[in-house]
Each structure stands twice: as structure tokens, then as C-alpha cells.
Amino acid sequence: MPRRKDLRELPYHLMLLPCVIIVILMNYVPMFGIVMAFQKYVPTKGILGSKFVGLDNFKYIINMPDTLQVLFNTVFISSMKIVLGIIVPVTVALLLNEVRITFLKRSIQTIIYLPHFLSWIVLSGILIDILSPSTGIVNTMLKALGFEPVFFLGNEKVFPYVLALSDTWKEFGFGTIVYLAALTGVDPTLYEAAIVDGASRWKQTLHVTLPSIMYVIILTTVLSLGNVLNAGFDQVFNLYSPAVYKTGDIIDTMVYRLGIVDARFSIATAVGLFKSIVSFIFIAGSYKLAYKYGDYRIF
């Protein structure tokens, strides 16, 4: 006979059942398609009828002239996003923590949160208008100051930094939530002791506030390492062009072009599988570091 406790928990398990079914159908069943990475896939023959070629697709990827450049672009862009995604939210959270007028503080928080809820389809249109070399407000200001206009979205040297800065602008407001929550847990008596010792607001921030939230900063930094190969497909796909492929092309956009545009399904699957394996290693390592240095664990 089932225990009474199990019967009480049964409704909760039934509530999770639709979610479990969706995850299985959308995440696990499609994994059968990984077989294509080891085949010379022919759509008319299907997965079961296509020829098995072993690791030939992976050898082809390694010998592709753009592979190393695309891998470098992905790591470079995602690294900039990770670094800025830590520094900017922490700085803004510290500044907001010093605002004593509640209405002003809440208003600023609401304004900087808004871009997070907009899709890159909307934001890309805004950025294209703002950064236009002829009519964009940024280049209009540069011209007024005597500088030459810059083609931000068409200059391969500038484009990666545009991606990193625009992504930070979109997400930093939402990222401050974690650090503002951490700041509420700082012991007020530490500030009182610092004031008695004659510490200024800057000294209090440096010697009390930052050390008190350093645990959260380290934890979020370590956990973000798992996204080192996720440079943001939505953003790059909506902003890049052939003119900036050299520095703006990332693994995800490369997979899109190989699989959807060129219909080279086996090669695209092999690239995606390679990315998944490397990302899994980084994620496992980041959680290991999070447990070691931040005592963070999932289970």
C-alpha cells in the first residue's frame, strides 16, 4: 500500500508530468538526430538509410579554413560579454545602493530593466537606426564633434565590440537584481563600525560592501563560464552581414548557414555536436569550481 505522504505528493508529480513530457519530446527525442554527424546524410534516404562515414565530418570541420577563426570569434565575443556582464551590473548595483530616494531608485531600476524584455529582433532594428553611418544619432554626434562617421555594423574591427556593448546594455539592468539582493544581506553593524573608524563612503564600499558580496560575484562569474561558447545567436544573426563575417561569425551562425542555407546537414550537426561537447565540459567544470570556491551545488 502506498504511504499517505506519497499520496499527498501525487498531485505535485502530476503537475510536473506535462513539463516532463515536453522536455522529453523537445530535448531528448531530437537527440536521435546526432547520428547525422557520423553520416553522409541524404534527405531522401533519411537517417536510417544514409551512409555511415565515422569521423569524416569532424575531420572536414577541422580542415575548414574558417573553423579556427569562428571558434576564436565565439570565445572572444562571449568572453567580453561575460566580463562586462559582471563588472557593469556590480557597479550599477553599488551605485543604486547609495540612492536614498526610494522613488528615484525604483524608477531607475524600472528603466534599466526594460531592454531585457525586448527581443533582439526589436533591438536590432533600433541599433541599426541609431548606429547608421548616415542618419544615426551616434554618427550625427560624431560629425558634430568633428569626427568621421563610423560604420559600426559594417566594420569588422568594430563589430565584436558593438555586440559586447549592446548585449551588456540589454542585460545589465536585469543582472543587477542578484547583486541588489545580495546587498540587502550586508550586516548594517559593519557600516556603523566603519563610520566610527572614520571610513568615507568610498572606503565603506571598498572594505565592507564589496567583500560582503564577493561570494555572489565569484559564484556568478564561475557559473557564467559554462556559456563561453554561447556568444548569442539571436543578436549576431540580426546584426551581422557578410562584411563582418571575419570577426562576427560565431559557431551558432556557422551552423545555421551550413545546415539551413547550404543544406549540409551532416556537417552542421557535427559542428553543433562539437560545440555541445565542449560546452558540457565547461559547464561541468564551472559547477565544480562553484562548489569548490562558492559552496554552490544543485543537489
Side-chain angles (χ1 to χ4, degrees):
M1 293 293 292
R3 293 181 300 176
R4 184 173 299 177
K5 181 181 178 182
D6 295 334
L7 292 175
R8 287 201 304 266
E9 294 178 351
L10 181 61
Y12 301 108
H13 291 286
L14 292 176
M15 288 174 62
L16 287 174
L17 186 59
C19 300
V20 173
I21 293 174
I22 291 173
V23 169
I24 292 174
L25 291 177
M26 303 300 294
N27 294 84
Y28 286 92
V29 173
M31 289 180 68
F32 177 68
I34 291 175
V35 177
M36 293 165 56
F38 306 95
Q39 294 179 321
K40 186 177 181 180
Y41 178 74
V42 180
T44 55
K45 295 182 179 180
I47 294 177
L48 298 178
S50 297
K51 181 182 177 182
F52 184 79
V53 295
L55 298 177
D56 287 356
N57 292 325
F58 294 92
K59 294 177 182 178
Y60 179 84
I61 293 168
I62 294 173
N63 293 323
M64 286 174 62
D66 298 332
T67 300
L68 290 179
Q69 182 64 48
V70 169
L71 184 60
F72 172 79
N73 295 342
T74 304
V75 175
F76 180 62
I77 294 171
S78 62
S79 298
M80 286 195 295
K81 289 182 178 181
I82 289 172
V83 173
L84 291 175
I86 298 297
I87 295 175
V88 176
V90 170
T91 303
V92 173
L94 292 174
L95 293 173
L96 284 175
N97 191 52
E98 298 299 319
V99 177
R100 295 292 176 256
I101 303 175
T102 304
F103 174 76
L104 178 61
K105 182 177 181 179
R106 300 302 181 194
S107 300
I108 294 173
Q109 285 180 275
T110 302
I111 292 171
I112 63 177
Y113 291 166
L114 286 178
H116 170 79
F117 299 99
L118 298 177
S119 70
W120 273 113
I121 296 175
V122 175
L123 287 179
S124 63
I126 296 173
L127 286 174
I128 290 171
D129 287 338
I130 292 176
L131 301 178
S132 171
S134 56
T135 59
I137 186 173
V138 175
N139 277 304
T140 301
M141 294 175 63
L142 289 177
K143 292 176 185 177
L145 295 173
F147 295 100
E148 291 293 325
V150 179
F151 192 4
F152 291 97
L153 300 180
N155 188 324
E156 63 181 28
K157 295 181 180 179
V158 178
F159 186 71
Y161 303 100
V162 173
L163 292 177
L165 291 173
S166 59
D167 181 77
T168 303
W169 165 68
K170 181 179 185 295
E171 301 294 343
F172 84 91
F174 197 76
T176 58
I177 294 176
V178 175
Y179 303 108
L180 286 172
L183 288 170
T184 60
V186 180
D187 188 353
T189 59
L190 296 176
Y191 291 110
E192 295 172 2
I195 293 172
V196 171
D197 291 338
S200 61
R201 294 300 303 174
W202 167 246
K203 291 292 184 180
Q204 292 175 42
T205 301
L206 192 61
H207 298 289
V208 177
T209 308
L210 277 176
S212 298
I213 65 171
M214 189 56 66
Y215 161 79
V216 178
I217 295 175
I218 293 174
L219 180 61
T220 54
T221 302
V222 170
L223 293 179
S224 64
L225 295 178
N227 294 317
V228 72
L229 290 185
N230 292 323
F233 171 78
D234 291 346
Q235 179 194 22
V236 178
F237 180 74
N238 284 285
L239 291 176
Y240 84 151
S241 64
V244 294
Y245 276 177
K246 184 177 180 181
T247 59
D249 197 17
I250 61 174
I251 293 177
D252 290 332
T253 53
M254 180 183 180
V255 170
Y256 169 81
R257 288 200 314 277
L258 288 172
I260 305 300
V261 179
D262 298 337
R264 301 165 71 182
F265 303 109
S266 294
I267 303 298
T269 305
V271 175
L273 179 59
F274 167 75
K275 178 197 170 185
S276 298
I277 293 173
V278 175
S279 297
F280 174 78
I281 294 172
F282 274 109
I283 291 171
S286 66
Y287 276 98
K288 184 69 174 178
L289 291 173
Y291 173 70
K292 182 177 180 180
Y293 295 104
D295 195 26
Y296 173 85
R297 64 177 69 188
I298 302 176
F299 303 106

